[in-house]
Amino acid sequence: MRRRVLALAAVVALLLSPVVPAAASSTAASSTVSNGCVASVPEPGTSTPVKICYSLFKPATASAQHTVPLIFHSHGWGGSRTTDPAAFKAWLDAGFGVLSFDQRSFGQSTGVAHVMNPDYEGRDVVRLVDLVAGLDWVTKQRPGDPLIGAIGGSYGGGYQFAGAFTELRDRGATRFDALAPEITWWDLKQSLAPQEAARTLWLSILFAGGGTHLPPAVSAAFVALIATGTWPSGKAGRELDAFFAHNGPAWHVQQGRKLDIPVLFGQGISDNLFNLNQGLANFDRALTSRARARSIFVGYNGGHTLPSVVPPGYATAGDPCSIALGSPNFSSLSIRFMQLQLLHKPTGLSGFGAYHLSTAAGRCLTQRSLTPNKRYPLGKIVVPTGVGLPVSLPIAKGPITVAGTPTVTANVYTVVPQSAAYFALSVGKNPLTAKVVQNNTMPLREKHTARGVRRTFELPAIAVDVPAGQNLYLTVAPVADMYAGQRGPLPGVMMLKNGSLSVHQVR
């Protein structure tokens, strides 16, 4: 227990650190730094404008006669803006201004965190774009339309979609010209509680880092979610549903909106909070086909990562695909991407319209499509729920390579309500040595007793080379540490019959 508490403390510290390019050894002394706040949308039931505070970094060469594009930046959940120009030296040297800001309720900004609601955080970003549009040293494409991009990870990736989609909703077009979000979400509820099975380990960490910034009713419902492991019922559940309903690209796409700008995506494949499924959904669904052809998807083994101990998993940390694309890391790749998109500077960058994924062992795999192309029949699977050992069903012998989002279709039977099991693909020489690929599991949860109901559900998206002498397995576990504390009424059994597994197998 002490080891787990220490691990949680370390992860909270990581979450509170802003996601920025690596700091330079010398300060960007020649740049000009100014600080201020803009007035934004009041909180519900009040008339006092909320302050959104920022630090603005102007390169020494920028002027009304020599204008430059500007890059927005913001922090992760529980963090605050970056005020040290050394952190942005690479961007300033590359010919960009930078604006880093405190998101609503964090740092010096006031208000309450609505977690990327377009009517609050989305409009906060719009206010900042309005501010930038009035700076004479920032390049304008037309009056009121500055040349801008955006960077940041996790919550700092969420603001990019919130701002761009809010402008698309309210103005008919976004003024952002390119984005580079990392390790962020498509559907926030689906990320925090897939199939309403709470990722309790991560929710505990997030609440410790910023739970007091939430509205009181949402904060109380969040505590209930952590305590029970399942989405609350009744009023608390309805309040959580309403709170998260609009907070991500999924809602905007449901309303018929898609972004028509180039995006450089960075997503952690071994990220077990905002997993690869979330990033692929953004790339595949949040962009127009024209924008996707000008965009790049990079998946690496990193992000919000905790080791999967139950069931055991593995991943080799690193970002081989940024290296394969000619950059030492994703931050450097982001600068090249923005130089191309905003400055129209030849950078030699390639790989547009494709998925570049780190395998579990650390190789970069590039694919133009991840559409499932292979179906494996599944025998009858019987696994205990609530307590017991995982079951690993052999799927295929190596050598093979699998990438993308696998799905299982089967008839599902349970003997008690509120039954859940946790699914993943794994690799090993035999079922006893099989380890979950890239430390991710996904739940299948039945609220009511299931009697042969036909289900199709996603497994964690992955990229894996299965070497000769090893096998690919479907692992089904009664418990998983990322979902610790799930409370079904009684231990039970889940059975799957007449099933199949669909995967994208690299040929």
Side-chain angles (χ1 to χ4, degrees):
M1 181 66 180
R2 175 175 169 80
R3 181 185 66 80
R4 175 59 59 84
V5 170
L6 291 173
L8 291 181
V11 174
V12 169
L14 284 173
L15 281 175
L16 299 187
S17 301
V19 180
V20 296
S25 57
S26 61
T27 61
S30 58
S31 64
T32 301
V33 184
S34 57
N35 299 292
C37 303
V38 297
S40 192
V41 181
E43 288 296 323
T46 73
S47 58
T48 304
V50 165
K51 291 194 307 180
I52 304 299
C53 299
Y54 62 86
S55 293
L56 183 64
F57 303 85
K58 176 184 176 182
T61 58
S63 68
Q65 293 72 41
H66 183 267
T67 61
V68 299
L70 183 130
I71 300 297
F72 278 73
H73 164 267
S74 196
H75 53 83
W77 176 255
S80 59
R81 73 186 191 268
T82 298
T83 58
D84 184 358
F88 298 115
K89 183 177 187 300
W91 286 97
L92 297 168
D93 290 348
F96 299 96
V98 178
L99 184 147
S100 183
F101 71 97
D102 290 328
Q103 301 199 49
R104 180 174 288 241
S105 189
F106 296 105
Q108 292 181 317
S109 293
T110 59
V112 173
H114 298 267
V115 199
M116 298 307 155
N117 187 300
D119 292 332
Y120 298 99
E121 284 86 358
R123 287 179 173 163
D124 296 342
V125 176
V126 174
R127 296 288 194 275
L128 291 168
V129 176
D130 291 340
L131 168 77
V132 170
L135 300 174
D136 62 4
W137 56 268
V138 174
T139 303
K140 312 296 188 303
Q141 299 168 96
R142 59 191 64 84
D145 186 5
L147 186 60
I148 54 176
I151 59 172
S154 190
Y155 204 58
Y159 87 85
Q160 300 178 48
F161 287 122
F165 272 115
T166 299
E167 286 207 311
L168 183 58
R169 181 192 68 175
D170 295 348
R171 300 167 56 98
T174 180
R175 288 175 287 179
F176 281 96
D177 299 286
L179 306 177
E182 287 190 77
I183 56 174
T184 195
W185 66 87
W186 154 258
D187 183 309
L188 191 53
K189 178 183 174 180
Q190 187 183 87
S191 294
L192 300 178
Q195 296 202 17
E196 299 194 346
R199 296 185 196 268
T200 47
L201 193 54
W202 274 112
L203 289 173
S204 299
I205 293 168
L206 293 171
F207 191 81
T212 57
H213 295 265
L214 296 166
V218 174
S219 181
F222 219 83
V223 171
L225 179 60
I226 294 167
T228 65
T230 57
W231 205 257
S233 58
K235 181 181 178 182
R238 291 192 298 273
E239 287 178 342
L240 271 189
D241 282 332
F243 185 74
F244 288 120
H246 301 169
N247 297 21
W251 177 75
H252 290 281
V253 173
Q254 290 169 2
Q255 304 303 305
R257 292 184 282 274
K258 292 193 176 188
L259 296 178
D260 193 32
I261 56 175
V263 180
L264 172 64
F265 291 90
Q267 198 76 19
I269 306 182
S270 57
D271 189 315
N272 34 39
L273 174 60
F274 303 137
N275 62 12
L276 181 59
N277 305 58
Q278 295 289 304
L280 293 178
N282 278 326
F283 187 77
D284 293 338
R285 304 183 206 175
L287 306 182
T288 65
S289 58
R290 181 174 69 171
R292 194 161 45 250
R294 300 170 59 204
S295 300
I296 299 174
F297 190 95
V298 174
Y300 44 77
N301 288 323
H304 309 87
T305 57
L306 291 173
S308 179
V309 179
V310 181
Y314 77 105
T316 300
D319 180 11
C321 293
S322 287
I323 295 171
L325 291 169
S327 297
N329 50 51
F330 189 84
S331 293
S332 296
L333 186 65
S334 300
I335 293 175
R336 291 174 63 206
F337 184 78
M338 293 299 177
Q339 286 178 315
L340 177 65
Q341 303 296 347
L342 304 187
L343 296 173
H344 306 292
K345 180 179 179 180
T347 62
L349 190 57
S350 61
F352 295 92
Y355 309 88
H356 309 275
L357 306 177
S358 174
T359 65
R363 177 176 76 90
C364 182
L365 171 69
T366 295
Q367 294 286 284
R368 284 283 167 185
S369 171
L370 294 176
T371 302
N373 57 14
K374 180 71 174 179
R375 180 175 294 177
Y376 291 98
L378 300 175
K380 183 170 72 173
I381 303 171
V382 180
V383 63
T385 59
V387 65
L389 297 175
V391 173
S392 291
L393 180 74
I395 300 299
K397 295 181 178 181
I400 60 169
T401 297
V402 173
T405 306
T407 60
V408 168
T409 299
N411 295 334
V412 180
Y413 301 80
T414 61
V415 296
V416 295
Q418 304 292 349
S419 293
Y422 305 91
F423 291 73
L425 293 184
S426 58
V427 173
K429 290 186 177 181
N430 57 60
L432 294 178
T433 62
K435 290 188 176 182
V436 166
V437 176
Q438 289 162 315
N439 288 323
N440 260 307
T441 57
M442 289 280 277
L444 172 63
R445 179 171 173 268
E446 294 292 343
K447 291 184 180 180
H448 310 288
T449 302
R451 302 185 184 278
V453 62
R454 194 73 173 168
R455 300 289 192 208
T456 296
F457 55 96
E458 288 187 355
L459 274 58
I462 58 168
V464 64
D465 295 315
V466 182
Q470 296 198 34
N471 303 305
L472 181 70
Y473 294 91
L474 173 63
T475 291
V476 188
V479 293
D481 46 16
M482 299 303 144
Y483 305 87
Q486 301 290 325
R487 295 182 183 177
L490 292 168
V493 172
M494 179 178 289
M495 180 170 64
L496 278 67
K497 295 176 65 176
N498 304 318
S500 64
L501 169 71
S502 296
V503 300
H504 175 79
Q505 191 163 311
V506 178
R507 294 169 177 169

